[in-house]
Each structure stands twice: as C-alpha cells, then as structure tokens.
Amino acid sequence: MTAGFLQVKNIVYHYPVGRKKIKALDGISLALKREGTLGIVGESGSGKSTLGKTIAGLLAPQRGAIVFKGLEISGKMNTSVQYVFQNSSKALNPRMRVRDLIAEGLIIQKKWPRKRDLIIRDVMDAVGLPERVASYLPGQLSGGQIQRVALARVLAVEPEVLILDEPVSSLDVTTGAMLLLMLAELRKKKKLSYIIISHDLAVLRQTCTDIAVIYAGKIVEAGRADYIFTKPRHMYTKMLLAAHPQPDPAFKIRVEIRREAADPLHLPSGCRFHPRCPEALPLCRRQPPGMVNVAKEHCVSCHLAG
Ligand code: ATP
Ligand code: SF4
Ligand code: MG
C-alpha cells in the first residue's frame, strides 16, 4: 500500500496463554491515508480488535512500530488517534451521566476547563444527540445513542484519526445506515481519517477507500477498495466475498467456505490459510508466502499471486 500519514510497520502482538502464545498479530503492515477510510475485514478471532487497540496505543506491540505523522507512537496513548470500542455499551461506565462520559477525556488531559460545557454541546450536536440526553445514564439510551455517545467522547479531545471497531454491528439496519451516513459527514466536516473494523463487507463497501483483509494475524490482501471488491486475488478474500450477497449480479465468485478458521494456538505451517485453500500447492504447506504487489495499490500474500 502507499505510504500514508499513519503507518503500521511489521507489528507483532502475542497474548501469553499459560506457556503458549496466541499470535494475534504476526507482522502486520498497513498505511492509512490522510482523510482516507481504511477498512479492516476478517473472521472472528483474526486479530482485528487487537490491531485497532495496538494502533491506538492501548496495547504495546512486542515488535514493529506505529508511526503517525513521522513520530513513533507505539504503546503510547495519543490524543490524535482514538479508538471506539467494539462493545460500546459495555465500555461505558453505567453510573456516569452522558455529559460526564463525554467530558472524561478532557478532564483526564486537563484540557480547556472553561470551555468544557461548550465542547460537550458541540460534539453532542455533531453526532446528532439531543441536549436532553446529557443527563441520562447509559442504561437509558438506545443502541444508536450509545454509539453516538461513544463517538462524542472521543471527538471531544479533537482527534485526527478514529478507529471504529464494529461501529454498527450491534445496531439494526436502518439505525446502522444512519450512523454510517453521520460518520461520513463528520469525516468531511472535521477532516478526519478513519480505520473501520468490520466483519461485514457491506459496511466497508459503503464507506472505505482502502481495504485490508486479515487472516489469523496476518494481512493476506490489501489495497484500493474497488480492486478488493471487483478483482480480489486471495482465496480468502474471494471466500469472504462469496459468503456475502453481491449487489452486482454480474459479479460471480463461487468459492465454497471450507472448514473452520485456523486455531490460534495451533497455527498451520507455511501459508496459514492452506488447510482451507482450494488451490493450495505442496509449497504452501512448507513456506509462508511473501507480500507481492499486483497493481500500484493492490498487494496479495499468496504463492500464486506472483
Ligand atoms: P471478533 O470479530 O470476534 O471481534 P477479532 O478479529 O477482533 O474478533 P481479536 O479480539 O483481536 O479478534 O482476537 C485475536 C485473537 O487473540 C483471538 O484468538 C482471541 O481469542 C485472542 N485474544 C484476544 N484478546 C485476548 C486476551 N486478552 N487474552 C488472550 N487472548 C486474547
Ligand atoms: Fe492458497 Fe497457497 Fe495462496 Fe495460501 S499461498 S492462499 S494456500 S495458494
Ligand atoms: Mg473484535
């Protein structure tokens, strides 16, 4: 991928489990363009949330670096790069009122004490929350309002990058569609850049300029969204697309979904995808494939891609 203003360079994050390790991220490189929207897609357990938290500095990578506007920010919380949790309703303190939840980041950072009420009103307005909910507790809000509060919280500290982890997966279709529309408007208005994590390709198709496909802690394919959706090269990407209803009936990818995703404690040798791949070669069992550029903004990790 082209160099962006936020770069993820070969990061590794392994969770220790007893004497073993879960290799949640195993050498991930990505780039987010300024004011771009990068979608990260993969099955459950592929490492998406770990990646989001690592980019936001909530987890420190054991190897590799996160570079934002030329500065290394690995393992450091940074006001400019904010993460919105996958499960916002659980991430919000149920005993805090909306106004205090939104102000929390400003208080922790001792920012603008005199302007706080104004900022709270401004971000609530930006995410479409009526003023009356400022005194509500999370338990008194709808799912859509909870997501908006989670967004308002991070917007209050004026970030440049938002990492949105499954922003609409807990919402019904119309509430989700409205939230995505609001996010698109917000991005333009506040000149934000987004990383959107989702298992739902329809969400990413609608919102993203670039896509990265993750499988068992590795990026298997990445590039411009139109390439990924219309000319996918990796079997796993094809499998994800085939599992999803296509809006264009002329677009036919027939790939059967085979077997369960890789067990993170017993990852296959060579290409981690080989037990599920209908095109696997004997080489695939022995040797992990490298990343190959198949177009200017399209790269694939597969022995067949070269
Ligand atoms: P989902 O789509 O279900 O949210 P994900 O792609 O976000 O999944 P992660 O939550 O990043 O996946 O998890 C990646 C791997 O790391 C999984 O195998 C998961 O079980 C493991 N993992 C995540 N958090 C921890 C933790 N705190 N301790 C140990 N293992 C963990
Ligand atoms: Fe399939 Fe081999 Fe390519 Fe892996 S490297 S996706 S097993 S063809
Ligand atoms: Mg997740």
Side-chain angles (χ1 to χ4, degrees), residues 11-235:
I11 58 167
V12 167
Y13 192 89
H14 293 175
Y15 293 99
V17 178
R19 289 165 65 190
K20 295 193 169 170
K21 286 178 196 160
I22 290 190
K23 297 179 176 177
L25 305 177
D26 223 3
I28 298 256
S29 296
L30 291 172
L32 172 67
K33 295 169 187 159
R34 187 187 292 270
E35 291 180 50
T37 303
L38 169 66
I40 296 175
V41 65
E43 284 163 300
S44 183
S46 55
K48 304 181 299 295
S49 295
T50 307
L51 178 57
K53 288 176 193 165
T54 309
I55 298 172
L58 304 177
L59 298 174
Q62 286 122 6
R63 266 209 343 251
I66 319 285
V67 179
F68 178 60
K69 298 206 289 194
L71 286 178
E72 185 168 347
I73 58 163
S74 321
K76 297 174 198 140
M77 304 264 274
N78 186 307
T79 314
S80 297
V81 182
Q82 291 288 324
Y83 176 79
V84 181
F85 280 83
Q86 177 163 1
N87 226 325
S88 299
S89 55
K90 289 197 184 128
L92 298 179
N93 183 336
R95 284 182 292 275
M96 280 173 78
R97 308 221 167 250
V98 167
R99 127 175 11 96
D100 302 322
L101 286 165
I102 298 174
E104 205 178 12
L106 296 169
I107 294 167
I108 291 169
Q109 291 173 22
K110 301 188 175 70
K111 261 186 158 180
W112 306 303
R114 290 205 195 99
K115 275 170 58 186
R116 266 177 212 156
D117 287 343
L118 199 67
I119 294 168
I120 293 167
R121 266 206 301 279
D122 179 50
V123 292
M124 284 184 68
D125 186 48
V127 300
L129 281 171
E131 226 175 306
R132 67 188 152 80
V133 306
S135 60
Y136 286 18
L137 293 166
Q140 296 171 296
L141 302 173
S142 69
Q145 286 174 327
I146 293 255
Q147 282 303 80
R148 287 169 198 259
V149 171
L151 269 170
R153 253 165 86 78
V154 298
L155 284 176
V157 297
E158 298 196 334
E160 292 176 68
V161 177
L162 289 191
I163 302 168
L164 302 150
D165 197 346
E166 301 280 4
V168 296
S169 63
S170 62
L171 307 177
D172 64 75
V173 182
T174 45
T175 311
M178 282 194 296
L179 195 90
L180 290 178
L181 213 61
M182 187 272 285
L183 281 170
E185 282 166 10
L186 201 64
R187 194 183 61 74
K188 275 197 207 136
K189 199 167 138 198
K190 296 199 179 272
K191 298 193 185 310
L192 296 165
S193 311
Y194 289 163
I195 294 178
I196 302 187
I197 294 171
S198 181
H199 64 277
D200 186 349
L201 283 165
V203 167
L204 301 182
R205 184 191 284 274
Q206 214 177 319
T207 48
C208 295
T209 52
D210 300 272
I211 302 281
V213 183
I214 182 169
Y215 183 76
K218 284 190 176 286
I219 300 295
V220 295
E221 181 160 11
R224 262 174 41 189
D226 54 339
Y227 291 157
I228 303 293
F229 284 111
T230 60
K231 297 179 196 157
R233 293 287 296 268
H234 198 283
M235 264 299 155

